[in-house]
Amino acid sequence: MSAPEIETRLFINGKFQKASSGETFPLKSPATLTIVAEVAEASVEDTNAAVAAAKVAQPAWAALSPEERGSYMKKLAGLIRENFQDLAYLEAISMGRPVSTYWDAWVAASNFDHFAEAGYSIQGSSSLNTPGFVNMSLKQPFGVVAAIIPWNIPLFFFSSKVAPAIAGGNTVVLKSSEKAPLTSAKLATLIEKAGFPPGVINVLSGHGQISGSTLSSHNDVRALSFTGSTRTGRMIQKAAADSNLKNVLLELGGKSPAIIFSDADIELAAAETKNSIQWNSGQSCMGNSRVYVQESIAEPFIALFKKHFESVSFGDPTDPKTNHGPVADELQFKIVNSYIEAGKKSGTLVTGGESPANAQGYVIKPTIFSNIPEDAKITKEEIFGPVVVINTFKTEEEILKKANDTDYGLYAAVYTKDINRAMRFAKALEAGTVGVNCTSPTVPHDLPFGGWKTSGVGREGYLTSIDNFLETKTVLIKVAA
């Protein structure tokens, strides 16, 4: 795979520019541990400039018809598809995602295609229920909105936030993660090529405490969508409350349980739950990091899971033969290993728990623990790595209590052939999404996705996301007798 040109500058008001301070930060490949780029560090001044450009551009953008706005989005979708290989390569060198498992660009293109045609679904309502009045409600864009995206699947989140926002007539300032900024910067080059008016989409790179903090507290940003850790989500919500009470949408962490009953298809359950926690090296907020197996099938299930979990191919993430890459950076490598060491003290290490022999980079073997107490650190806290706890249970009542005994509630799964049991658990599990005989990352695009409890605030999806970026106004028209 040939290396594409790497864009590292900020994209503000339709132009690429270096940071006003001249500051950059090094981006190290987690696979080779070499510096692959020096990336612009957006300053407070740069962030303010991006918001100002978005504010100027917004009235004219909102004045376009949905078809006119959609035409730019369709051009962008086509360009994303044309540049799939380059985007896969950039993600591989920046955060270690194997090109063999890369699908983000296809979904990003589909998101822009969908929302390009969704503008006419923005509808208010009318009422004649007040005598002497014709009343109506209007749906109108907030104006300038911000998007702060994570590093695990950047282009998916770029598209799932920006596409509905601009479809609704808003303009956007997006901040990429400092761990994976290259595909967002590449997408900015495609935005320029698609001919978007200056200021409609602005793309910043840098660290959260600078540009992210500025967006969170900026009085001209009327709504903000964030995906990332619960800790950062709390900080953003507080900054929003302390500034202009901007609308905040949060998709945060998870500690997702998968429950395997004795009547389940254990071959299917083992393969799918293994994939859920192993794909993207376990760096998924909805990966089932807790698996609970009914006692009578625990031994064959764990054997199957272990077989699937160990049969991965390590290596260069730009090599199509590799399907298990490194975690994103040195910090994440240390965090995951600290949880592994805690797990060794709490229960039984079944497999993994170390880096592969002669491995280069921040690679961690898929790791299974069993016999872990429910109050142990690795059972309670989000790890964000290829580490799973497999524990057993006897009864429905016991496992429902264990599954719900968490601060998180993003995704849960249950495997059973008993439809009545499946429906009982679908209702009783405290999660925003429940899979029955399937698990994450499977989601329906046309239904709401989001978390219960500390896993988030609000919902996203094909039929939900545009409303996140619209204000509702009531208009009363008095009619003369």
Side-chain angles (χ1 to χ4, degrees), residues 92 95-103 271 274-283 307-327 356 363-366 386:
M95 58 78 64
R97 177 76 169 274
V99 296
S100 66
T101 69
Y102 188 74
W103 46 259
K274 165 267 173 187
N275 179 64
S276 176
I277 192 62
Q278 185 262 321
W279 84 272
N280 208 15
S281 299
Q283 297 165 121
K307 177 184 175 183
H308 288 303
F309 217 31
E310 290 177 339
S311 60
V312 297
S313 175
F314 304 106
D316 179 358
T318 66
D319 184 343
K321 296 178 182 178
T322 299
N323 65 13
H324 187 86
V327 294
V363 183
I364 297 173
K365 281 185 178 181

Side-chain angles (χ1 to χ4, degrees), residues 36 39 48 65-66 97 126 139 143 147 156 168 212 215 230 232 236 250 283 304 355 433 451:
V36 295
V39 183
N48 288 337
S65 71
R97 177 76 169 274
S126 61
K139 294 284 190 178
F156 169 77
L215 290 172
T230 298
T232 303
I236 288 172
L250 302 172
Q283 297 165 121
L304 278 169
S355 294
T433 298

